[in-house]
Amino acid sequence: MAQLYVYDGSFEGFLTSIFHAYPMNPEQVDFCQEEQYCCSFFQPVMVNTEIQLAERVSNGIRRTLTEDSLTTVYHAWLSHLEGIEPAIFRFLKRSFAEGRCLCGFRQDPEVFPVMKAAYAVGGEAHRILGLLRFTKIGRLYVADIRPTYDLLPIIGPHFLDRFHSQPFLIRDPRHYMQALAYNGKQVSIGKFESFKELDQQPEEAEALWQAYYKAIAISERKNPKLRRQFMPKKYWEFLTEMQDQPEAHKNGFEKAIRTQQKIKLEQDQFFPPSTTFLEKA
Amino acid sequence: MELMIRTLSLLRKQYRFLGYIHAKIIPSSSPELIEQIGLLADRVSVNMEFTSKKSLALLAEEKNHQKILAPMGIVRATKEENEYALAHYRGAPVFAPAGQTTQVIVGATPERDNHILTAASKLYQDYKMKRVYYSAYIPLATHPNLPAPLGFVPPLLREHRLYQADWLLRFYRFSVNEILPAQQPDLALDVDPKIHYALAHPELYPVDANRASYDMLLRIPGIGIKSAQRIIEARKFGSLDEFSLKKMGVVMKRAQYFLCFRGKVLGKMDPSNPMLRQVLQDGTLIQQTRLF
């Protein structure tokens, strides 16, 4: 009989629910975001996000464990993989019980899934930093991405360093229709209602970039396999220099979804399937 | 040089571009100009082109090693001064935060790999290079001192092997002599330099994954910097078996022949077995050479 904690979908909400769930046996706890929750047979705990409690948990992780553990937990949580929340909970309870950071204990079946998820998110965030292409619309620079994981919260600082006073907007239609907006002073993450593709009017800068991409290519050095490793086809959709190959990135995206389903299946071997009562019924 | 500096300061100060800038320093520039450009750019470089004086004289008359090495030395000294300033004074300007690099051209002149790698390792030690880039020569022009372009195959695989050896120098704690012993002037093309080293020294293997030092772990083909560090970390918690090594990211396809767990080796071939070399060959790269 697992106790379900329903939180608002924010990381602070997740930490608050960890605070409330902490006395429980980790095998009997599950978490769910409000948006995905519809009903369950037993009474779930509806968690009110309380910043103070969330801070108590994050400071506890920082002090008793390490700063690294907190980053790992945050990144792993951002993966939103199925079953990752209870996995993080087990990982944290275990770490606190031992009173030390367990990030190095990769051979352990309770540690590995969390480390793996965190690594995947961090890796994609690093990659996407090089693959964002901004288009200027009026005064605003807009970039679209459709990454595998929810990366907006962690890629913000990088672009803040580069765009000091120019306002920009990064849209991610794949993860809750989120967008990261910067108005020249403040950054915020919000949701947008509908996603309309940007008008692909060949702008001068875009044409210049495409011409540049073609001109610096050295035909003797073409190595398509290596290029695919650095910029997989699933990201080509929004890459300015790849707009002349619409078919290729369509295939790439479909294939990425297929592989992701496969990864999900593999992940099921690492995580015991999450037992929301809805599924059981 | 002055024009470059003006362009960069326009970009940085007027248009407030904060992105990455890589600036090429013209050989025999004055220290003042080098300092100015380093304060504007993220990375600076002076291209070496050829590691031997003879080739440089033949193909790049305007350059000589003195003219190239002098600015490299200035960059190193300025950067060290700047690091001191940054550590002691708040708000000190940053000089070339991404360091300096250089490039050498491979295959246009008769230099052997040992010559190139010795020069590279000196550049890393004496000038604190961040990277030495190796570029396989691709013919564009005809010149009596250059190989004839017709039928010339750019040595892309050789370039790749040089990069692999370069990584061994910088991250895997190898020395040039270990990668290329005196009787071997060129890198092997069929396997990567680390596998070549392991096959030439069967007496060092198998290595016990639970006991080996960091340096020795790095010498196992299939274990990289990351997995070696993870192994060291993970051993603090408990002993490792082959499944845990997979979780560390070790490529067992290669590592199995060189590892043991409590004396047990997984691979079915001994490192001294001459057949192992074929098993470990990199299929894709051999195809690549055939393409061109």
Side-chain angles (χ1 to χ4, degrees):
Chain A
M1 190 166 84
Q3 179 62 58
L4 186 65
Y5 289 81
V6 180
Y7 66 101
D8 61 357
S10 67
F11 188 57
E12 289 76 15
F14 178 56
L15 291 181
T16 314
S17 33
I18 284 184
F19 182 89
H20 291 304
Y22 198 73
M24 303 280 291
N25 177 349
E27 298 308 320
Q28 294 177 355
V29 170
D30 201 358
F31 300 88
C32 181
Q33 300 191 8
E34 229 162 45
E35 282 192 0
Q36 280 141 22
Y37 175 75
C38 59
C39 59
S40 77
F41 192 67
F42 293 102
Q43 187 62 40
V45 178
M46 306 306 275
V47 178
N48 271 333
T49 303
E50 285 174 62
I51 299 295
Q52 276 177 335
L53 297 185
E55 266 178 7
R56 255 175 86 175
V57 176
S58 63
N59 284 337
I61 297 174
R62 251 193 222 115
R63 281 187 205 131
T64 316
L65 313 175
T66 51
E67 193 74 42
D68 266 4
S69 304
L70 187 61
T71 317
T72 303
V73 165
Y74 183 43
H75 285 189
W77 175 79
L78 280 175
S79 77
H80 299 308
L81 286 167
E82 217 178 304
I84 193 69
E85 289 144 332
I88 294 173
F89 186 64
R90 283 195 296 275
F91 168 75
L92 280 179
K93 277 211 80 155
R94 176 91 179 276
S95 307
F96 279 116
E98 295 204 18
R100 58 174 172 166
C101 168
L102 292 182
C103 291
F105 196 11
R106 287 183 150 251
Q107 66 267 47
D108 186 88
E110 284 191 341
V111 177
F112 182 63
V114 178
M115 296 305 292
K116 199 182 169 190
Y119 191 69
V121 171
E124 197 189 25
H126 173 73
R127 184 187 254 162
I128 219 82
L129 292 185
L131 296 176
L132 266 191
R133 299 286 180 266
F134 287 90
T135 308
K136 198 174 180 189
I137 295 177
R139 271 188 68 233
L140 187 68
Y141 290 85
V142 185
D144 291 333
I145 41 170
R146 224 193 275 275
T148 310
Y149 303 110
D150 183 8
L151 303 174
L152 288 183
I154 43 180
I155 59 173
H158 173 85
F159 292 102
L160 271 188
D161 264 1
R162 306 227 154 178
F163 291 73
H164 55 98
S165 61
Q166 295 121 307
F168 65 84
L169 182 73
I170 302 172
R171 305 192 297 173
D172 177 2
R174 190 162 179 200
H175 297 99
Y176 322 109
M177 305 286 274
Q178 281 196 98
L180 180 98
Y182 175 68
N183 60 8
K185 288 181 195 115
Q186 268 187 326
V187 185
S188 53
I189 290 188
K191 297 189 181 194
F192 49 92
E193 304 257 297
S194 66
F195 182 75
K196 202 176 136 228
E197 297 247 345
L198 299 175
D199 281 339
Q200 283 302 331
Q201 276 169 9
E203 233 190 283
E204 197 185 1
E206 277 170 25
L208 271 174
W209 178 253
Q210 282 159 353
Y212 171 74
Y213 185 79
K214 285 218 174 75
I216 57 156
I218 301 168
S219 61
E220 282 88 345
R221 284 183 177 277
K222 277 204 174 134
N223 189 345
K225 190 187 160 205
L226 190 65
R227 181 172 75 171
R228 267 203 318 276
Q229 284 168 1
F230 282 113
M231 45 181 242
K233 282 187 179 172
K234 61 178 169 182
Y235 303 125
W236 287 16
E237 186 184 0
F238 297 120
L239 279 181
T240 314
E241 61 266 37
M242 288 299 157
Q243 291 308 316
D244 53 346
Q245 301 182 36
E247 275 311 302
H249 56 68
K250 203 173 147 236
N251 295 340
F253 191 65
E254 277 161 13
K255 200 175 153 202
I257 288 174
R258 278 204 301 278
T259 23
Q260 211 191 342
Q261 282 162 350
K262 219 170 90 193
I263 292 173
K264 226 172 167 183
L265 288 176
E266 279 172 20
Q267 292 284 1
D268 287 345
Q269 295 167 359
F270 292 123
F271 305 123
S274 76
T275 41
T276 45
F277 286 97
L278 187 69
E279 282 171 8
K280 275 197 170 170
Chain B
M1 214 43 191
E2 286 87 346
L3 278 175
M4 273 168 69
I5 291 173
R6 261 176 54 202
T7 316
L8 291 194
S9 58
L10 263 182
L11 267 175
R12 286 283 198 228
K13 287 173 186 151
Q14 190 167 332
Y15 295 97
R16 304 196 66 185
F17 174 70
L18 299 179
Y20 175 85
I21 297 180
H22 178 164
K24 298 262 169 197
I25 291 177
I26 293 156
S28 67
S29 301
S30 75
E32 292 77 23
L33 291 180
I34 291 175
E35 195 185 336
Q36 277 186 41
I37 205 153
L39 290 173
L40 293 164
D42 291 270
R43 169 166 280 182
V44 293
S45 62
V46 193
N47 280 354
M48 182 122 209
E49 316 299 10
F50 302 104
T51 50
S52 82
K53 285 182 183 134
K54 217 174 125 195
S55 310
L56 201 61
L58 267 177
L59 288 164
E61 287 151 5
E62 75 289 354
K63 284 188 176 181
N64 64 46
H65 275 178
Q66 207 42 50
K67 279 189 192 165
I68 294 167
L69 295 176
M72 286 179 181
I74 297 167
V75 171
R76 183 198 161 159
T78 319
K79 184 144 177 64
E80 274 169 6
E81 262 172 50
N82 182 248
E83 269 156 16
Y84 179 86
L86 284 172
H88 288 80
Y89 309 110
R90 195 147 43 116
V94 191
F95 177 85
Q100 64 170 328
T101 61
T102 191
Q103 177 191 244
V104 292
I105 298 168
V106 177
T109 48
E111 283 100 336
R112 310 296 287 264
D113 290 346
N114 58 358
H115 192 274
I116 296 172
L117 284 176
T118 313
S121 101
K122 257 190 100 58
L123 286 169
Y124 286 127
Q125 278 161 23
D126 298 351
Y127 298 96
K128 298 262 171 77
M129 287 288 150
K130 282 278 183 198
R131 286 280 296 267
V132 173
Y133 290 92
Y134 309 94
S135 297
Y137 172 68
I138 293 167
L140 283 172
T142 358
H143 186 275
N145 293 338
L146 281 170
L150 203 71
F152 180 85
V153 181
L156 289 173
L157 185 56
R158 184 180 171 205
E159 173 194 299
H160 181 60
R161 294 287 180 240
L162 278 169
Y163 275 120
Q164 290 177 316
D166 187 81
W167 252 252
L168 293 185
L169 286 179
R170 283 188 296 147
F171 303 116
Y172 288 74
R173 307 189 179 184
F174 273 77
S175 68
V176 179
N177 285 335
E178 285 172 314
I179 302 169
L180 286 173
Q183 68 275 15
Q184 188 198 347
D186 286 315
L187 296 166
L189 290 181
D190 57 342
V191 290
D192 73 56
K194 198 164 132 184
I195 291 178
H196 184 83
Y197 173 85
L199 293 176
H201 296 89
E203 72 282 1
L204 297 175
Y205 305 93
V207 173
D208 187 337
N210 281 304
R211 289 165 179 274
S213 66
Y214 178 66
D215 285 29
M216 205 51 228
L217 285 174
L218 287 179
R219 281 167 194 243
I220 300 170
I223 294 187
I225 304 292
K226 223 160 210 167
S227 37
Q229 285 168 349
R230 284 173 182 165
I231 289 171
I232 298 280
E233 274 301 304
R235 289 196 305 208
K236 294 177 188 164
F237 294 93
S239 74
L240 305 171
D241 57 16
E242 52 171 310
F243 300 102
S244 20
L245 280 210
K246 272 187 199 160
K247 289 189 180 131
M248 309 289 147
V250 174
V251 185
M252 291 305 271
K253 191 175 134 196
R254 293 196 284 279
Q256 56 177 330
Y257 305 102
F258 306 97
L259 272 176
C260 67
F261 304 92
R262 296 193 185 84
K264 207 184 106 208
V265 189
L266 299 165
K268 293 203 170 65
M269 260 184 230
D270 195 69
S272 58
N273 187 337
M275 291 295 286
L276 187 55
R277 195 177 181 94
Q278 275 211 316
V279 174
L280 292 171
Q281 268 172 14
D282 199 329
T284 51
L285 281 165
I286 287 163
Q287 259 185 352
Q288 195 195 341
T289 44
R290 226 184 280 136
L291 258 169
F292 296 109

